[in-house]
């Protein structure tokens, strides 16, 4: 059973991806909703709004404890901002879990949304379609943070142990490979 933070943003699309993989999922809005989950996805949307909700619900510490148990967390776009240790543009509090620096809306206004395709060795053929929507940019990688997908020499999907983050929206394509990778990890660790 995989949880998808269901406050705001793209949670329904993530659940559809999990459905397509035959994986059961549940929306998470309270601390109790975390019970029995093998992993959780933090979707894209508006990180400031999600942060407020997480704080009000006591989910900040609950998610930190979830991670401390080694359970996988996958943050996409705004979800990646929630996971990152350092957030800029503007600065904002976070779960402070994944050792990266991240700049919100880092592609700027002129090119704030775009779609591209690149080969991803860890996923094999065909190339992966990447959808960026007012996406953040990863500005710093801590020791032990591994790059899974790189675009123009910059990391756009990374992993540190049980933590995964993508600055794009894997749930907005037909390609379930990244979700499958995450679910496999949840099966091992969750
Ligand atoms: N710009 C948003 C933020 O700062 C993230 C955008 C997204 O998740 N597509 O939270």
């Amino acid at each position: 059973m995989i949880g998808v933070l269901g406050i705001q943003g793209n949670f329904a699309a993530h659940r559809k991806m999990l459905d397509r993989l035959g994986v059961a999922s549940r929306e998470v809005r309270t601390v109790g909703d975390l019970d029995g989950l093998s992993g959780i996805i933090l979707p894209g949307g508006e990180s400031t709004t999600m942060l407020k909700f997480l704080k009000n619900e006591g989910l900040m510490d609950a998610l930190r404890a979830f991670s401390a148990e080694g359970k996988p967390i996958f943050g996409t776009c705004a979800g990646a901002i929630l996971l990152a240790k350092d957030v800029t543009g503007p600065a904002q509090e976070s779960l402070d879990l994944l050792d990266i620096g991240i700049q919100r809306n880092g592609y700027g206004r002129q090119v704030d949304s775009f779609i591209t395709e690149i080969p991803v060795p860890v996923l094999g053929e065909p190339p992966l379609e990447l959808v960026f929507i007012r996406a953040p940019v990863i500005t710093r990688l801590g020791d032990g943070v591994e790059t899974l997908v790189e675009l123009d020499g910059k990391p756009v999907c990374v992993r540190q142990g049980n933590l995964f983050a993508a600055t794009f929206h894997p749930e907005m394509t037909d390609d379930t490979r990244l979700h499958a990778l995450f679910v496999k990890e949840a099966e091992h660790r969750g």
Side-chain angles (χ1 to χ4, degrees):
M1 174 74 70
I2 301 288
V4 182
L5 185 68
I7 299 167
Q8 185 264 343
N10 267 2
F11 57 89
H14 276 291
R15 291 196 67 196
K16 272 194 197 136
M17 292 301 257
L18 295 168
D19 281 352
R20 288 180 51 196
L21 291 169
V23 174
S25 70
R26 176 203 298 159
E27 285 164 25
V28 172
R29 295 191 187 87
T30 65
V31 171
D33 292 337
L34 291 172
D35 281 353
L37 294 180
S38 306
I40 185 168
I41 296 176
L42 311 179
E46 189 46 57
S47 57
T48 311
T49 309
M50 290 195 227
L51 187 65
K52 269 189 207 144
F53 188 95
L54 292 177
K55 285 163 85 173
N56 287 341
E57 285 299 319
L59 273 162
M60 296 294 278
D61 283 340
L63 284 170
R64 289 178 183 127
F66 190 86
S67 175
E69 284 174 41
K71 293 187 176 174
I73 307 183
F74 186 11
T76 62
C77 205
I81 297 170
L82 293 173
L83 281 180
K85 275 192 175 292
D86 311 323
V87 181
T88 53
Q92 154 175 298
E93 225 181 302
S94 71
L95 290 165
D96 193 14
L97 290 172
L98 175 63
D99 192 10
I100 60 171
I102 202 161
Q103 186 189 358
R104 299 176 64 199
N105 304 309
Y107 290 94
R109 271 193 209 156
Q110 307 259 302
V111 280
D112 66 357
S113 301
F114 60 100
I115 298 178
T116 187
E117 230 183 54
I118 49 156
V120 177
V122 286
L123 298 178
E125 288 294 323
L128 186 67
E129 189 182 2
L130 307 177
V131 180
F132 292 88
I133 303 169
R134 293 172 48 73
V137 170
I138 295 171
T139 52
R140 179 185 69 76
L141 283 186
D143 292 342
V145 181
E146 175 195 348
T147 299
L148 299 178
V149 183
E150 192 176 80
L151 179 66
D152 299 331
K154 292 204 182 95
V156 291
C157 181
V158 299
R159 171 192 186 165
Q160 180 182 22
N162 61 317
L163 305 172
F164 293 74
T167 60
F168 52 93
H169 286 264
E171 79 287 4
M172 291 185 76
T173 69
D174 282 335
D175 195 326
T176 53
R177 286 177 295 168
L178 262 188
H179 284 78
L181 187 94
F182 175 70
V183 167
K184 212 171 110 195
E185 201 58 32
E187 279 167 357
H188 287 144
R189 291 169 176 262

